[in-house]
Amino acid sequence: MSTRLRISRTHYPVRALGPGHRLGIWLQGCTLACKGCMSRDTWSAGGGTETPIEDLAALWRSAVDRGATGLTVSGGEPLQQAENLAAFLAAADEIRRGADRELDFLLYTGYDEAELDEPRRAAAAQADVVVFGRFDVAQPTELVWRGSANQRMVPRTALGKRRYAEFVDYAPEQGPLQLEAGDDGPWIIGTPRKAALRTLDRSMRDLGLDVTEVTWRR
């Protein structure tokens, strides 16, 4: 049986979680259960879809062919599938080695670096940049591509340092967000700032849209 990852969703292009146009892969399953998480639909280990890493590698190859500048892996908690994630990132690395441009891997994890065991450390080592730390609703931030001020963006390779050095302490006037339409309704890509989701709720209601269920209010 082929190696598989349990996936919540994938999307291309992602423009709100890393520089440029990226393939985004959200893994399913998270036991960290951060208060205020906007993606509670990704918590259940039984949700999502088990996907062969060959299929995910094919998605990555297609994104590269379409001009992707990088790969972003989030969740859920990606490092709770560490060994299979490492296998996928190794396959993705083989593909990017044949590209005509530099392509970076950005990984989000709720774990702090000191919490990583050997399999999780090995998976994280394949990313050019890792955002470490649990989301803390009590520590809002304006730092780009982070949900709370305690989260640390750590470039780990020469490519990561070249491409992300300017973003480690960068706080844009407006944080990047994407609103996409899926089979289950609209969904948000990015790291909303304080009160942004409540404002979105209110705006949709003002437009006459009946918002009956969202992942961040459960």
Side-chain angles (χ1 to χ4, degrees), residues 16 19-20 33 48-49 61 68 86 88 105 137 149 151 160 168 188 196:
T49 305
R61 187 183 300 277
F88 164 64
F105 296 167
V137 70
Q151 294 179 324
V168 170
I188 296 170

Side-chain angles (χ1 to χ4, degrees), residues 85-91 93 96 105 121-128 156-157:
L85 174 60
F88 164 64
L89 290 177
D93 183 56
R96 71 171 172 174
F105 296 167
R121 192 176 299 111
Q126 297 195 55
D128 299 287
R156 297 168 65 90
T157 66

Side-chain angles (χ1 to χ4, degrees), residues 64-132:
V64 171
D65 290 344
R66 294 164 66 187
T69 57
L71 168 70
T72 297
V73 179
S74 187
E77 175 44 64
L79 293 185
Q80 291 183 355
Q81 301 184 59
E83 293 183 359
N84 290 358
L85 174 60
F88 164 64
L89 290 177
D93 183 56
E94 287 294 322
I95 292 168
R96 71 171 172 174
R97 289 175 184 271
D100 59 358
R101 59 195 181 279
E102 291 186 320
L103 305 168
D104 72 87
F105 296 167
L106 168 61
L107 172 67
Y108 281 83
T109 176
Y111 292 107
D112 290 321
E113 196 163 5
E115 296 180 285
L116 302 187
D117 58 16
E118 187 54 40
R120 291 170 182 163
R121 192 176 299 111
Q126 297 195 55
D128 299 287
V129 181
V130 182
V131 175
F132 288 103

